[in-house]
């Protein structure tokens, strides 16, 4: 069986830098509160009308494909991870296939939020290992700025998220470098703790608490209603402290799982690239695992939490800064909505 290597990395972030102080125009918050709780100083917001999740993904993909030494025409399969797609359906994968004028290849969309990129990587890894495809494009991209509640009511969520995209190209490895293993987990018990319920087909089925106000009607009218807009039910929801508590348990667990399966230790790690959820979560994980500052890459300070894009953006930046060299052991790890969590161990 082949191993899968990452042969090209790319990233794209919009030009528009939005500082914490810029957010004061919309909500009651402060630079001090945001930096202290999350580490975030600024984030990027996509151009409202000219940039979409897919167009940002395309920009990141162009770079990854060029660095892999191939052309869009050589790509055999697309996997696109996002929670903020251009359309409710179809997914961003086909929009990217169209925009990049690729062949009539398969395009799969992954909906695993913060773990989306690692889930996508794991799926791509299987296709390369079993010889089905030779060049797979994986994209993680988000346009959060379009769907956040920028009033004070939504400030616990809206200050955290930013827009951007990252991409990698997977190919068969010709030596012993490549993805050593991936580890995927889920626990839907607390699915509503970090979720956007509406629009959806749930019909208030899952919880005693009403998650959506529908219009009275004999048929339909249950997907989206004026009441939902009036009651601000079309925004994401998050119980921050509950997410924090679970994240600091599952991040170290899934990182150790990857190391243990491969008979490796934290001291073998050149770099841990955690999903950029919150700087305090990364710092907690670093301390728990006894990693040095050099062994953990963080860039949430500049970009906020870009969900499915955060790992490929961080991976690309770390690679561009020369922090990842051939033979280095790299661990990617994520935790997020679902809850889902995941890790990937890679010999670069
Ligand atoms: N500015 C100022 N005050 C705020 C803001 C804000 N942006 N947001 C919330 N507050 C206030 C609240 O209203 C509350 O005020 P009160 O005490 O008067 O009621 C107070 O700050 C504390 O609110 P909490 O939500 O309890 O704040 P907490 O200290 O838990 O910090 C945070 C919130 C940063 C979200 C934290 O819970 C956290 O880090 N959670 C982890 C979740 C996370 O990182 N999510 C990222 C996305 S999910 C993922 O990627 C895994």
């Amino acid at each position: 069986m082949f191993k899968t290597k990452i042969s090209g990395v790319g990233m794209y972030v919009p030009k528009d830098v939005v500082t914490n102080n810029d957010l004061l125009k919309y909500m009651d918050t402060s630079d001090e509160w945001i930096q202290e709780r999350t580490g975030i100083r600024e984030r990027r917001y996509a151009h409202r009308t000219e940039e979409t999740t897919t167009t940002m993904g395309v920009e990141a993909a162009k770079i990854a494909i060029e660095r892999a030494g191939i052309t869009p025409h050589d790509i055999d399969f697309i996997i696109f991870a996002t929670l903020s797609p251009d359309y409710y359906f179809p997914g961003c994968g086909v929009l990217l296939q169209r925009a990049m004028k690729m062949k009539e290849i398969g395009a799969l969309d992954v909906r695993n939020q913060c773990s989306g990129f690692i889930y996508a990587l794991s799926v791509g890894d299987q296709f390369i290992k079993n010889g089905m495809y030779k060049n797979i494009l994986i994209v993680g991209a988000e346009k959060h700025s379009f769907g956040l509640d920028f009033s004070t009511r939504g400030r616990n969520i809206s200050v955290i998220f930013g827009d951007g995209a990252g991409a990698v190209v997977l190919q068969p490895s010709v030596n012993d470098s490549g993805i050593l293993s991936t580890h995927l987990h889920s626990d839907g018990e607390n699915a509503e703790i970090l979720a956007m319920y509406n629009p959806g087909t749930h019909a208030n089925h899952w919880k005693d608490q009403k998650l959506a106000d529908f219009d009275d009607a004999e048929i339909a009218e249950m997907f989206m209603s004026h009441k939902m807009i009036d009651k601000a039910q079309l925004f994401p929801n998050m119980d921050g402290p509950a997410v924090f508590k679970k994240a600091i348990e599952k991040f170290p667990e899934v990182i150790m799982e990857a190391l243990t399966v491969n008979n490796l230790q934290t001291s073998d790690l050149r770099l841990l690239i955690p999903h950029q959820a919150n700087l305090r979560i990364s710092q907690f994980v670093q301390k728990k695992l006894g990693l040095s500052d050099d062994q953990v890459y963080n860039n949430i300070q500049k970009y906020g939490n870009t969900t499915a894009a955060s790992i490929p953006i961080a991976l690309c930046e770390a690679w561009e800064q020369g922090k990842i060299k051939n033979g280095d052991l790299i661990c990617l790890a994520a935790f997020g909505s679902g809850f889902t969590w995941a890790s990937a161990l890679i010999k670069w």
Side-chain angles (χ1 to χ4, degrees):
M1 243 206 241
F2 300 105
K3 270 207 180 70
T4 307
K5 69 167 182 183
I6 295 179
S7 54
V9 291
M11 63 175 273
Y12 174 82
V13 287
K15 281 198 269 322
D16 190 9
V17 176
V18 179
T19 66
N20 293 341
N21 282 328
D22 290 335
L23 295 174
L24 297 177
K25 271 189 280 194
Y26 313 107
M27 64 188 81
D28 180 13
T29 187
S30 68
D31 178 46
E32 197 188 358
W33 192 97
I34 299 171
Q35 287 214 45
E36 193 188 305
R37 310 285 176 119
T38 70
I40 299 165
R41 291 197 300 268
E42 59 192 39
R43 74 284 294 138
R44 305 292 179 97
Y45 286 168
H47 189 282
R48 261 187 105 240
T49 53
E50 284 169 20
E51 290 180 311
T52 74
T53 295
T54 303
T55 68
M56 290 188 284
V58 167
E59 294 308 315
K62 281 183 195 163
I63 299 167
I65 289 170
E66 196 186 332
R67 284 177 175 164
I70 57 173
T71 70
H73 201 68
D74 298 316
I75 296 293
D76 301 315
F77 194 63
I78 301 160
I79 312 181
F80 202 121
T82 186
L83 67 68
S84 50
D86 294 30
Y87 298 140
Y88 192 80
F89 72 84
C92 292
V94 297
L95 302 182
L96 180 136
Q97 183 271 346
R98 176 174 71 185
M100 298 193 79
K101 299 184 172 43
M102 287 170 166
K103 290 180 294 191
E104 292 178 351
I105 54 174
L108 171 71
D109 277 62
V110 167
R111 297 197 45 186
N112 282 74
Q113 293 60 255
C114 306
S115 315
F117 180 77
I118 299 181
Y119 267 72
L121 191 74
S122 180
V123 173
D125 181 32
Q126 312 313 313
F127 281 129
I128 297 279
K129 278 199 297 202
N130 73 19
M132 185 156 167
Y133 296 126
K134 296 237 168 336
N135 297 297
I136 298 183
L137 173 68
I138 309 227
V139 177
E142 305 286 359
K143 185 176 174 182
H144 284 306
S145 59
F146 218 60
L148 297 170
D149 179 356
F150 282 101
S151 72
T152 296
R153 184 183 47 213
R155 65 184 177 174
N156 69 319
I157 299 181
S158 49
V159 300
I160 294 177
F161 292 98
D163 301 341
V168 300
V169 171
L170 302 185
Q171 291 179 334
S173 172
V174 289
N175 51 38
D176 73 337
S177 67
I179 297 174
L180 303 182
S181 62
T182 56
H183 307 270
L184 311 178
H185 295 281
S186 73
D187 175 5
E189 184 59 33
N190 293 306
E192 287 77 13
I193 275 184
L194 176 51
M196 183 161 154
Y197 320 124
N198 307 307
T201 61
H202 61 84
N204 285 324
H205 174 78
W206 294 108
K207 291 271 147 185
D208 295 337
Q209 173 203 357
K210 205 196 253 184
L211 301 180
D213 282 274
F214 301 111
D215 290 334
D216 294 327
E218 207 160 293
I219 193 165
E221 305 290 337
M222 290 193 75
F223 190 64
M224 187 121 52
S225 71
H226 291 288
K227 285 185 200 156
M228 283 184 203
I229 298 170
D230 295 343
K231 295 194 172 190
Q233 292 169 342
L234 294 166
F235 294 117
N237 300 275
M238 178 174 78
D239 176 347
V243 174
F244 194 96
K245 213 168 134 206
K246 199 75 175 174
I248 59 173
E249 176 194 334
K250 292 301 175 188
F251 262 112
E253 203 177 283
V254 81
I255 294 163
M256 286 315 297
E257 181 184 354
L259 289 169
T260 307
V261 162
N262 291 284
N263 291 318
L264 293 162
Q265 297 167 7
T266 49
S267 54
D268 296 314
L269 272 181
R270 169 65 194 93
L271 205 59
L272 167 67
I273 301 183
H275 159 55
Q276 302 291 294
N278 181 320
L279 191 60
R280 286 167 60 217
I281 293 177
S282 286
Q283 287 166 339
F284 187 96
V285 173
Q286 176 180 341
K287 199 166 167 207
K288 176 104 195 252
L289 298 180
L291 298 169
S292 66
D293 288 350
D294 274 0
Q295 283 178 294
V296 185
Y297 193 81
N298 288 305
N299 61 6
I300 191 170
Q301 300 91 331
K302 291 188 292 181
Y303 304 126
N305 178 338
T306 56
T307 311
S310 93
I311 291 179
I313 288 176
L315 180 68
C316 182
E317 259 198 5
W319 180 84
E320 285 173 354
Q321 291 168 8
K323 292 184 194 294
I324 301 177
K325 302 237 163 33
N326 287 349
D328 283 348
L329 188 68
I330 311 296
C331 184
L332 313 179
F335 174 87
S337 161
F339 294 125
T340 64
W341 59 102
S343 63
L345 203 59
I346 304 166
K347 185 175 172 195
W348 201 264

